[in-house]
Amino acid sequence: MNAMDTKIAVVQFKPSPFLDKALDNNLLTHLAIMKQAGQCGVTLLVFPEMSLSGYELERAGTNALTPSHVAIQTLQQQAEQLNLSIIVGAPWFNPNGKPYIASLLIRPHLPVLVYCKMHLHPGEEKYVSPGHSYVDFEHHGLRIGMAICADTTHSSHPRHYAQLQADVYVASVLITEQGYAKDSSLLQQYAKEHQLMVMMANFCGVSGGWEATGKSCIWANNGAVLVQAEATTDMCDDVDFQLLLVEQIQGVWQATSHAGTSINS
């Protein structure tokens, strides 16, 4: 792992509770978080699963994005202004059937790179289609593999990226308190087994009727916890998001966290 002058981060935030305006409201939240991250020197920022729309499966069809959607254009412009790459989540239009659950890599002056969730949770197939292709990319000397939630419950998924000599495995998720212990244990195991830095971005708050537990986390490539966000139940009412940042200083990854308030009030 040879990161060149880079600071990478995950963010957990409270998604909009207003479903009719969720996409617009969450977009404003993304823009505000991006600005904060840019001020912290972040070069890559990872958001939770379906971060733009919220985990609203019944609305996946109507919320499905295409490359020309105004939200993507707006995020692209902000990414270029801040020289910041981001991974955001949204339903993605599928011309051959139900939409995908996707992570969109938006980078300055480059086309959008789309990863579609390969392994669906039971029940998701009613609303969305599974993807079929892994996606990895290079960022400041790091090879990064993309995952979405249930992908991480299949050991073959991180193993594929490890075989490609990836350095980092990024997972955009929605995890409840009931599922957190098992899911986080798997991610920690993958970090140690494959010598991958593992970064997990979770919501804090309700999305799609599910109470996400927060506790986003970054594990070093030996399985050690570098930094973990607060649980949803422990966050102050006026805290809207929490950034977890890691940067390599003299060959050692060091971590910090940053909380923000009143993004969308």
Side-chain angles (χ1 to χ4, degrees):
M1 184 182 293
N2 182 26
M4 301 180 294
D5 188 28
T6 187
K7 185 182 291 186
I8 53 181
V10 300
V11 63
Q12 68 179 35
F13 73 96
K14 299 175 182 177
S16 173
F18 305 108
L19 299 187
D20 291 338
K21 299 180 179 180
L23 191 58
D24 291 339
N25 289 346
N26 288 330
L27 175 59
L28 293 175
T29 298
H30 279 61
L31 294 172
I33 293 174
M34 289 172 67
K35 185 175 181 180
Q36 291 282 334
Q39 291 173 351
C40 293
V42 172
T43 60
L44 175 66
L45 175 62
V46 183
F47 286 83
E49 179 178 19
M50 295 179 78
S51 58
L52 278 171
S53 62
Y55 186 76
E56 306 295 340
L57 291 176
E58 293 183 358
R59 295 171 178 253
T62 56
N63 286 333
L65 303 187
T66 63
S68 61
H69 195 281
V70 64
I72 294 178
Q73 296 176 359
T74 302
L75 291 168
Q76 183 80 47
Q77 292 171 359
Q78 177 105 322
E80 292 173 1
Q81 290 173 3
L82 298 171
N83 196 27
L84 170 66
S85 297
I86 58 172
I87 295 176
V88 302
W92 189 250
F93 178 73
N94 175 8
N96 299 314
K98 300 171 188 174
Y100 301 107
I101 294 175
S103 284
L104 316 178
L105 173 63
I106 299 175
R107 296 170 289 181
H109 310 293
L110 289 171
V112 175
L113 191 62
V114 181
Y115 170 73
C116 298
K117 187 177 185 177
M118 301 172 69
H119 302 283
L120 302 181
H121 284 290
E124 288 183 338
E125 72 281 353
K126 180 179 178 181
Y127 305 100
V128 296
S129 300
H132 303 287
S133 301
Y134 296 91
V135 173
D136 63 288
F137 63 97
E138 188 275 336
H139 179 79
H140 289 229
L142 296 172
R143 176 59 53 185
I144 300 175
M146 299 169 69
I148 303 174
C149 210
D151 287 331
T152 68
T153 65
H154 295 258
S155 60
S156 60
H157 199 267
R159 186 185 308 122
H160 173 87
Y161 291 121
Q163 290 171 345
L164 296 177
Q165 299 184 321
D167 303 296
V168 185
Y169 185 58
V170 295
S172 300
V173 305
L174 188 160
I175 299 177
T176 64
E177 180 61 26
Q178 290 74 19
Y180 188 86
K182 180 179 179 180
D183 290 348
S184 62
S185 178
L186 285 174
L187 291 170
Q188 186 173 37
Q189 176 185 325
Y190 299 150
K192 186 174 182 180
E193 178 180 353
H194 300 302
Q195 297 184 328
L196 291 165
M197 178 185 291
V198 175
M199 308 179 69
M200 181 261 282
N202 194 19
F203 282 115
C204 52
V206 177
S207 190
W210 297 92
E211 176 78 37
T213 193
K215 294 190 283 189
S216 298
C217 193
I218 302 175
W219 293 268
N221 62 1
N222 61 2
V225 174
L226 288 174
V227 62
Q228 184 179 48
E230 291 184 334
T232 299
T233 53
D234 294 334
M235 292 181 68
C236 299
D237 290 339
D238 62 349
V239 172
D240 297 303
F241 74 92
Q242 191 169 2
L243 279 170
L244 304 182
L245 310 91
V246 289
E247 62 180 325
Q248 199 172 50
I249 300 175
Q250 296 182 343
V252 178
W253 284 98
Q254 299 187 17
T256 56
S257 64
H258 175 81
T261 60
S262 301
I263 292 174
N264 219 4
S265 58

